[in-house]
Amino acid sequence: MAMATQHTPQGQEPAGRQRTRRSPAPHERQRDAERTKARILDAAVEVFSAKGFDRARVTDIAERAGVNQQLISYYFNSKRGLYREIGRRWRAYEAETIPDDLDFAEQIKHGVRASVDPRLGGRLLAWDGLYDTGEDDEETQERNAQLQHEVQVLRERQRAGEIDDRFDPAALILIGLSAGNALAVYPHLARGLFGTDTVSPELVEHYAEQLAQVISSLPAAAPPSVPGSHK
Amino acid sequence: MAMATQHTPQGQEPAGRQRTRRSPAPHERQRDAERTKARILDAAVEVFSAKGFDRARVTDIAERAGVNQQLISYYFNSKRGLYREIGRRWRAYEAETIPDDLDFAEQIKHGVRASVDPRLGGRLLAWDGLYDTGEDDEETQERNAQLQHEVQVLRERQRAGEIDDRFDPAALILIGLSAGNALAVYPHLARGLFGTDTVSPELVEHYAEQLAQVISSLPAAAPPSVPGSHK
DNA sequence: AGAATAGTCAAATCGCCGTTTGATTAAATC
DNA sequence: GATTTAATCAAACGGCGATTTGACTATTCT
């Protein structure tokens, strides 16, 4: 692919270019592929998350990353490749970041805050879901494993009596997750509902609080229905 | 989904009065603009809902509607125009369809079932939210009014003691709505969580049940904190 | 130093897809 | 049955935007 490099045949050498020759301390080199790649990735997350795959312009991504757009092909082959790479890194990141020994409600709060951060993945998740075609590539498989693990954790708590038996952990997770992403996915509704003209940090906090409250008010043990009563 | 299928505005033909040339009973004429428009609209809802605006192909829509794609420009000016028309009719439809005197939990169940019907609007709502740019056109204004009304309804129930005062009705609505749409918006997660390889009607029913259970288990009155405590 | 290569870029290409054009056929009117 | 007009279509157009091409420049290695 990118190995058709050839020596420059000729050209006028601009004389008198003064450059000091310093040893490359890794963080101050000007040419650092990894750093540049990271910048592109960051910009890409922002743009993809905001506009979705189709509406995202690679020019836009390149611009924000401060590089030429061809560089994106150079590093990631294609727009799709870039997107996939984001997916990979993202899953790795959240796998190692989200501690599942947190209190469920705390986890939710954390999730809500994270979901609206444009650099984080709430919206990406929604885009993926909407674009989903029903066939499971290996990428989704991986995520599913993580989800199943979450289910296990909840089931554990259920067994410990923290959660009523009638609830299906899988359903609870989906509910929490989708509700947690709500501000990020339905900003237009949020504005209408809360009467603000933007989704402010305060609103995020308020909503996180509310959602956590809902979650944590789920009945813990068997329902308060008196044994022997009807229904 | 009869949303687009209200046509034949021209009214009551005097019975027994027949034209010499067998005046076409409105439902059996071959050339019926309204009917065709409705077919296009229906197909469009399906495609837009499934693929989103950008990925939807007007060829695809035309094909499903059984018409030539130019007809779409003819009737709706543009792809965007078609999309907007859907929005208009959709809001009208749901405004007159969803009865707000239902039990909240019932409403939720109804919502969940509706949201996964591919021909209905759960996904459209999510697309709109993700594509949202923060500026409110008149279209959203209209929806916001409806939402505010919903908020009022909930506030009412809150006043009646059915819902704990600590909950913000607006937040509850957003939670219910987003969670209700979850199967439609995150089908990939749903498959992973529930271990099915498709979102079956049974799953829909199960999930609706679960969500309703969560909603209806929200504390009704003041918290069980001991009365007579401080403040 | 100089060869080799990693990093960067501007500009041309090319396919896709929404829209326009201009004609055609069927229905309604007289 | 002739005229008008509503409905339909096939084919050409044109723009947008991702990708390719082909070079150029800085860095690193020996």
Side-chain angles (χ1 to χ4, degrees):
Chain A
M1 38 187 79
M3 47 180 320
T5 38
Q6 71 289 55
H7 50 81
T8 71
Q10 53 83 27
Q12 330 186 34
E13 288 289 354
R17 170 60 66 89
Q18 166 226 349
R19 58 176 163 78
T20 42
R21 185 188 290 263
R22 49 177 174 276
S23 205
H27 54 282
E28 62 175 60
R29 16 186 328 170
Q30 303 122 321
R31 299 201 145 195
D32 181 336
E34 286 312 313
R35 195 197 329 135
T36 304
K37 265 158 110 167
R39 268 212 296 265
I40 293 176
L41 252 347
D42 279 354
V45 167
E46 223 161 296
V47 177
F48 281 135
S49 158
K51 312 250 195 87
F53 185 83
D54 293 321
R55 204 161 289 189
R57 298 286 157 249
V58 346
T59 311
D60 189 6
I61 295 174
E63 218 163 85
R64 291 189 197 217
V67 303
N68 180 293
Q69 66 168 322
Q70 127 73 353
L71 204 58
I72 287 173
S73 304
Y74 181 69
Y75 282 133
F76 304 99
N77 284 323
S78 65
K79 189 182 177 184
R80 266 241 110 70
L82 174 57
Y83 189 76
R84 270 195 278 264
E85 182 61 23
I86 287 179
R88 266 187 288 278
R89 303 210 180 190
W90 185 259
R91 274 189 303 283
Y93 169 78
E94 77 181 357
E96 71 188 23
T97 295
I98 298 183
D100 51 34
D101 53 338
L102 263 181
D103 178 69
F104 190 42
E106 272 312 312
Q107 226 168 323
I108 289 291
K109 267 202 254 185
H110 174 274
V112 174
R113 292 194 199 94
S115 71
V116 291
D117 182 336
R119 311 190 62 185
L120 294 182
R123 290 171 60 91
L124 287 178
L125 198 65
W127 286 117
D128 276 353
L130 288 176
Y131 277 140
D132 172 70
T133 57
E135 75 225 4
D136 282 357
D137 44 14
E138 43 159 330
E139 327 227 337
T140 30
Q141 311 264 105
E142 195 181 322
R143 176 162 42 211
N144 288 353
Q146 285 175 218
L147 284 175
Q148 280 301 337
H149 177 245
E150 301 280 330
V151 172
Q152 275 322 109
V153 173
L154 270 204
R155 229 188 276 285
E156 211 57 58
R157 302 208 177 153
Q158 210 165 29
R159 219 170 279 124
E162 297 178 43
I163 301 170
D164 190 294
D165 273 340
R166 287 171 309 172
F167 290 120
D168 175 354
L172 288 187
I173 289 177
L174 190 53
I175 290 171
L177 217 149
S178 55
N181 278 347
L183 287 183
V185 177
Y186 309 96
H188 57 330
L189 299 188
R191 291 198 302 273
L193 279 166
F194 297 101
T196 61
D197 55 347
T198 184
V199 176
S200 69
E202 294 82 42
L203 176 53
V204 171
E205 200 49 41
H206 169 67
Y207 181 74
E209 208 71 55
Q210 287 284 316
L211 181 53
Q213 206 163 93
V214 167
I215 297 293
S216 57
S217 68
L218 291 183
S225 69
V226 182
S229 85
H230 63 299
K231 243 280 144 73
Chain B
M1 178 241 3
M3 146 198 162
T5 325
Q6 36 90 346
H7 51 94
T8 67
Q10 63 145 239
Q12 27 324 83
E13 200 69 38
R17 194 79 194 97
Q18 286 279 57
R19 294 279 152 69
T20 54
R21 193 82 173 280
R22 185 161 114 77
S23 86
H27 54 282
E28 61 177 58
R29 22 189 319 176
Q30 300 124 327
R31 299 202 144 195
D32 182 336
E34 285 312 311
R35 191 192 339 129
T36 304
K37 266 159 108 167
R39 268 212 296 264
I40 294 177
L41 251 348
D42 281 353
V45 167
E46 224 162 294
V47 177
F48 281 136
S49 158
K51 314 254 194 84
F53 185 84
D54 292 322
R55 204 161 288 190
R57 298 286 157 249
V58 347
T59 311
D60 190 5
I61 296 174
E63 219 163 84
R64 290 189 198 221
V67 303
N68 180 292
Q69 66 168 317
Q70 128 71 355
L71 204 59
I72 286 172
S73 303
Y74 182 69
Y75 282 133
F76 304 99
N77 284 322
S78 65
K79 191 181 176 184
R80 265 241 111 68
L82 174 57
Y83 189 77
R84 270 196 279 263
E85 182 61 22
I86 288 178
R88 264 188 289 278
R89 302 207 183 192
W90 185 261
R91 274 189 303 283
Y93 169 77
E94 78 181 356
E96 70 188 23
T97 295
I98 299 182
D100 52 34
D101 55 338
L102 263 181
D103 179 68
F104 190 42
E106 272 312 314
Q107 225 167 326
I108 290 290
K109 268 203 255 185
H110 173 275
V112 174
R113 293 196 197 93
S115 72
V116 291
D117 182 335
R119 311 189 64 187
L120 293 183
R123 291 172 60 90
L124 288 178
L125 198 64
W127 285 116
D128 276 352
L130 288 177
Y131 277 140
D132 172 70
T133 58
E135 73 225 5
D136 283 358
D137 44 13
E138 42 159 330
E139 328 227 337
T140 30
Q141 310 265 104
E142 195 181 323
R143 177 164 40 213
N144 288 353
Q146 286 175 217
L147 284 175
Q148 280 302 337
H149 177 246
E150 302 280 330
V151 172
Q152 274 321 112
V153 173
L154 269 205
R155 228 188 275 287
E156 209 57 57
R157 301 206 178 156
Q158 209 165 31
R159 219 171 278 123
E162 296 178 44
I163 302 171
D164 190 295
D165 273 342
R166 287 172 308 171
F167 291 119
D168 175 353
L172 288 187
I173 288 177
L174 190 54
I175 290 170
L177 216 148
S178 55
N181 278 347
L183 287 182
V185 176
Y186 309 96
H188 58 330
L189 299 187
R191 291 198 303 273
L193 279 167
F194 297 101
T196 61
D197 55 346
T198 183
V199 176
S200 68
E202 294 82 45
L203 176 54
V204 172
E205 198 49 41
H206 168 67
Y207 180 74
E209 207 72 53
Q210 287 284 317
L211 182 51
Q213 206 163 93
V214 168
I215 297 292
S216 57
S217 70
L218 290 182
S225 68
V226 184
S229 74
H230 61 296
K231 198 69 188 287

